[in-house]
């Protein structure tokens, strides 16, 4: 090998490797690595790629079910949806890049998650995203919101894939580290799923897509470290995306996948050529010999180190059958994309990297993946907070005043300003648009069959009690899918936490994993894919624990679905599920009373399942057309959302004198749904009671105002002005 810079302890530390990890590298290869080899180990062993702090706990999650075709370990999860079709989906983070350069960071996050899906052979049909920003009055928040939203929208819009929903919340814990989690769902033939394993000895290794540049080098390593005052200096590690090239790459890959040319295929995502080549060789129990001089390059003088670690976007690595090279090349050249044979599969079990006629790296493949550090980090359980019931806190102002405060608060205000920047109707299959409980997409080539998609998590619950917060994230996803009439199938997760080397932070991760796992098992929603993003903190302050859940559900008949908006006037409004007035960690407590305390509302998984099955049966049988789950802000917020979605008002009364009014209307007890039925609703209350489900009649739909008990009617126009005015006003700098 040619001479390279002498490695020093500083260089090793700059690559994110501890002294112990470096000693293990020396043991594995039996000599000092060169700089390129050090970079390869650093990329494979960083937190973002190796999950070294989380793997022990991830193994405890439920990942299997009869309808699961492929669980965690590949680019995306795959579930059977019948009729010879499969849904392919995943959610992943792009947090650090989006804080440093919000437009490109968010855009390339969207591009990356779509590649994960179409690498499996699926055509993307829908995108979602979960966005967490700092306090609205923080000087950087408005800039980040604008950049991230434009990045998400531009990439998805240019790709022609609808962005159909998501979440956005604000909290000071995200001031120095916003979160950008992107989800994509695609559809593929169930018998034509493509995997990364590439063990056919002698087969050519092919590079396709965009040329390689110096953007994104050390991106995965940057994502595995916390921020400090120098985070702006990491701007060069943010990748630059080109959605028009990715559109060509998508079409070319799917065209090639319709042939019998591909042995294995892998997206060049985190750590670029390094991670894709090693993962393919390792899964195929083989080796790989790469010639970097053959890699298409857009910059001159790139070193082996730079070529192996670049995270330039819109690239794929594939192994094809030896006799298929001409056919494959013709397809990619037709789409005006680079196509280059950059190596071949070997039986050596080693990764050989050549450049300029010299070997620049010679490493065993298996240890790079299988012997990555695995840490059982010390952790401490998050202290329990006291339960706060409605009777423990005095109401402030009138019910109507509290309603107006909440509907115009940052976390509850309308997100129309966001989703109107997204093309949520492209492809023409969007049945339910953003703003409801779950998006609904008609499945391609299956008229009348729908797929419901949702993302959920309540970080303030997870901060208060990670276990209950984890359970609630899954339960909320279950309710959102149920509310549109979908049978929940499976989940993907995106686990965003702070520095795992701090026992209190690791404790939040462990608690959330336990909660997620228990809820997924009880609700038959296995986790089939996902991502862990740690070190989301700045100067020692971690973000709120944010274990995001993405979930999909199946609708057999799109003629039998429900929507959040009232469907007619004169219908009885019925609340299903028990209400006790749980106020801990609620938005009423935070936004109206200025408090962030108390235990979150507990989740009764047996009740969640019972209530959900009852509601889905009502929708499937055509008994109800209106359904909305009760979530952030409580019953009155849900009623206001239903009224605004339909322009039909309502008159409601608190039916339970045992629960104070503010607790009944704004408490966040779990497992509840609001439905409407013709007539007085008495028959439906009886049916719910027979199923063991608490049910009460709140009032009736009608008019153009919302009236609570003896209070003054509030016009829907006034509510709408407050609800839809906050975010545009904020982005315009007027509030």
């Amino acid at each position: 090998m040619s001479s390279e810079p002498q490695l020093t302890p500083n260089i090793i530390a700059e690559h994110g490797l501890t002294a112990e990890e470096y000693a293990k590298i020396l043991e594995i290869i039996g000599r000092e690595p060169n700089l390129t080899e050090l970079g390869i180990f650093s990329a494979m062993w960083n937190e973002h790629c190796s999950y070294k702090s989380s793997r022990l706990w991830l193994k405890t999650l439920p990942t299997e079910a009869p309808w699961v075709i492929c669980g965690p370990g590949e680019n995306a999860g795959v579930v059977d949806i019948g009729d010879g079709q499969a849904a392919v989906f995943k959610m992943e983070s792009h947090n650090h890049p989006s804080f440093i350069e919000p437009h490109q960071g968010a855009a390339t996050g969207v591009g990356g998650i779509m590649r994960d899906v179409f690498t499996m052979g699926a055509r993307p049909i829908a995108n979602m995203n979960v966005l967490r920003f700092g306090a609205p009055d923080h000087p950087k928040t408005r800039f980040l919101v604008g950049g991230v939203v434009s990045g998400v929208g531009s990439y998805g819009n240019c790709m022609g894939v609808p962005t159909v929903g998501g979440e956005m919340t604000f909290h000071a814990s995200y001031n120095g580290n916003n979160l950008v989690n992107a989800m994509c769902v695609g559809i593929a033939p169930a018998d034509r799923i493509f995997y990364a394993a590439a063990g056919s000895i002698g087969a050519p290794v092919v590079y396709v897509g965009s040329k390689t540049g110096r953007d994104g080098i050390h991106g995965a390593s940057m994502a595995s470290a916390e921020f400090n005052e120098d985070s702006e200096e990491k701007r060069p590690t943010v990748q630059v995306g080109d959605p028009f090239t990715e559109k060509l790459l998508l079409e070319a890959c799917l065209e090639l996948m319709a042939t019998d040319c591909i042995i294995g295929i892998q997206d060049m995502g985190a750590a670029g050529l390094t991670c894709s080549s090693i993962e393919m060789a390792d899964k195929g129990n083989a080796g790989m010999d790469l010639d970097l001089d053959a890699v298409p390059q857009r910059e001159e003088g790139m070193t082996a180190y730079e070529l192996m670690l670049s995270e330039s976007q819109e690239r794929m690595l594939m192994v094809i059958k030896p006799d298929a090279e001409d056919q494959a090349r013709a397809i990619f050249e037709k789409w005006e994309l680079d196509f280059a044979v950059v190596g071949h599969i070997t039986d050596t079990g080693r990764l050989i990297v050549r450049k300029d006629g010299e070997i620049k790296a010679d490493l065993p493949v298996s240890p790079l993946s299988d012997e990555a550090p695995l840490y059982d980090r010390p952790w401490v359980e998050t202290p329990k907070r006291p339960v706060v019931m409605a009777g423990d806190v005095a109401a402030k102002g009138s019910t109507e005043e509290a309603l107006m405060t909440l509907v115009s608060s940052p976390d509850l205000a309308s997100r129309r300003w966001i989703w109107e920047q997204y093309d949520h109707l492209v492809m023409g299959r969007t049945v339910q648009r953003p703003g409801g409980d779950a998006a609904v997409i008609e499945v391609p080539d299956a008229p009348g069959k729908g797929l419901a998609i949702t993302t959920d998590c309540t970080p303030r619950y997870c901060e208060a009690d990670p276990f209950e917060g984890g359970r609630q994230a899954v339960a909320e996803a279950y309710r959102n899918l149920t509310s549109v009439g979908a049978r929940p199938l499976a989940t993907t997760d995106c686990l965003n936490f702070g520095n795992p080397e701090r026992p209190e932070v690791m404790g939040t991760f462990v608690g959330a994993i336990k909660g997620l796992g228990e809820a997924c098992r009880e609700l038959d929603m296995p986790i089939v894919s996902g991502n862990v993003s740690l070190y989301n903190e700045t100067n020692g302050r971690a973000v709120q624990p944010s274990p995001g859940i993405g979930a999909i559900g199946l609708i057999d008949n799109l003629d039998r679905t429900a929507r959040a908006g009232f469907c007619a006037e004169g219908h009885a409004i019925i609340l299903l599920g028990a209400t006790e007035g749980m106020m801990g960690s609620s938005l009423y407590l935070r936004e109206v009373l200025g408090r962030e305390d108390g235990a979150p509302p507990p989740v009764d998984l047996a009740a969640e399942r019972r209530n959900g099955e009852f509601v889905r049966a009502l929708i499937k049988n055509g008994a109800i057309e209106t359904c909305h789950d009760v979530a952030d802000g409580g019953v009155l917020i849900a009623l206001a959302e239903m009224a605004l979605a339909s322009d039909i008002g309502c008159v409601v009364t608190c039916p339970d004198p045992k629960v104070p009014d503010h607790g009944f209307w704004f408490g966040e007890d779990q497992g509840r749904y609001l439905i409407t039925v013709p007539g007085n609703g008495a028959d439906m209350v009886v049916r719910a009671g027979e199923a063991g489900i608490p049910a009460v009649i709140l009032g009736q739909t009608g008019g153009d105002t919302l009236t609570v008990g003896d209070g003054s009617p509030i016009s829907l126009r006034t509510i709408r002005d407050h609800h839809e005015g906050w975010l545009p006003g904020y982005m315009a700098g007027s509030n």
Side-chain angles (χ1 to χ4, degrees), residues 133-142 170-172 175 410 726 730 735:
F133 295 104
D137 59 359
H138 188 272
K140 196 169 183 177
T141 298
R142 187 180 289 108
F170 297 85
H171 190 269
N175 282 351
W726 184 83
Y730 173 70
N735 60 21

Side-chain angles (χ1 to χ4, degrees), residues 52-71:
K52 57 189 176 185
S53 297
S54 58
R55 290 202 319 271
L56 277 175
W57 293 100
L58 295 178
K59 292 177 181 178
T60 68
L61 293 171
T63 60
E64 298 179 348
W67 52 91
V68 174
I69 296 173
C70 176

Side-chain angles (χ1 to χ4, degrees), residues 457-713:
C457 178
T458 308
R460 65 181 187 280
Y461 290 174
C462 297
E463 182 177 46
D465 187 330
F467 177 73
E468 284 296 341
R471 282 158 48 100
Q472 192 273 342
V474 177
E476 173 94 7
Y478 178 86
R479 289 197 300 273
N480 281 346
L481 296 175
T482 292
S483 293
V484 297
R487 173 170 56 88
L489 288 177
T491 63
T492 180
D493 60 23
C494 198
L495 309 176
N496 308 272
F497 293 81
N499 185 343
E501 298 168 47
R502 294 200 286 134
E504 64 274 19
V505 171
M506 193 65 200
T508 66
F509 180 83
V510 172
I513 285 284
K514 290 181 176 181
L516 292 175
E518 183 175 298
C520 286
R521 275 185 288 270
E522 292 296 320
L523 299 175
D524 279 344
M525 296 172 66
I527 294 179
V528 298
S529 61
N531 167 241
V532 178
S533 176
L534 302 177
Y535 295 96
N536 288 294
E537 61 179 73
T538 302
N539 295 328
R541 182 174 185 184
V543 300
Q544 287 182 319
S546 306
I549 287 291
I552 64 169
L554 188 64
I555 300 173
D556 296 320
N557 181 1
L558 284 171
D559 290 333
R560 293 291 175 87
T561 60
R563 296 176 180 269
F566 296 137
C567 60
E569 297 200 5
H571 280 202
I573 303 169
I574 298 171
L575 174 65
L576 301 176
T579 299
E580 297 179 2
M582 303 291 300
M583 303 298 289
S585 298
S586 67
L587 286 179
Y588 181 88
L589 214 60
R590 190 179 83 187
E591 300 295 334
V592 177
L593 300 182
R595 297 170 48 176
E596 293 189 57
D597 63 318
V603 176
D604 182 337
L605 292 172
E608 291 281 2
R609 182 159 190 158
R610 182 171 59 249
N611 297 0
E613 289 174 349
F614 179 74
V615 168
R616 288 198 302 276
L618 294 177
I619 297 172
K620 185 176 182 179
N621 295 332
I624 61 172
E625 298 177 18
T626 294
C627 181
H628 189 26
D629 86 305
V630 179
D632 291 344
V635 170
L636 199 54
I637 293 299
L639 286 168
E641 291 169 344
M642 297 170 84
L644 293 177
S646 58
D647 280 324
I648 298 174
C650 62
V651 177
V652 292
T653 304
C654 176
D656 190 347
K658 298 188 297 297
V659 179
D661 280 7
H662 64 288
F664 185 86
W665 295 122
F666 304 113
E668 297 184 6
D669 304 81
Q670 298 294 293
R672 297 181 297 167
Y673 301 83
L674 285 164
I675 63 172
T676 66
V677 296
N680 63 16
D683 290 344
M684 185 60 69
V685 170
V686 171
R687 289 174 63 180
E690 290 173 346
I693 299 167
V696 292
I697 300 170
L698 300 186
Q700 192 174 61
T701 64
D704 59 1
T705 63
L706 192 158
T707 304
V708 182
D710 297 328
S712 300

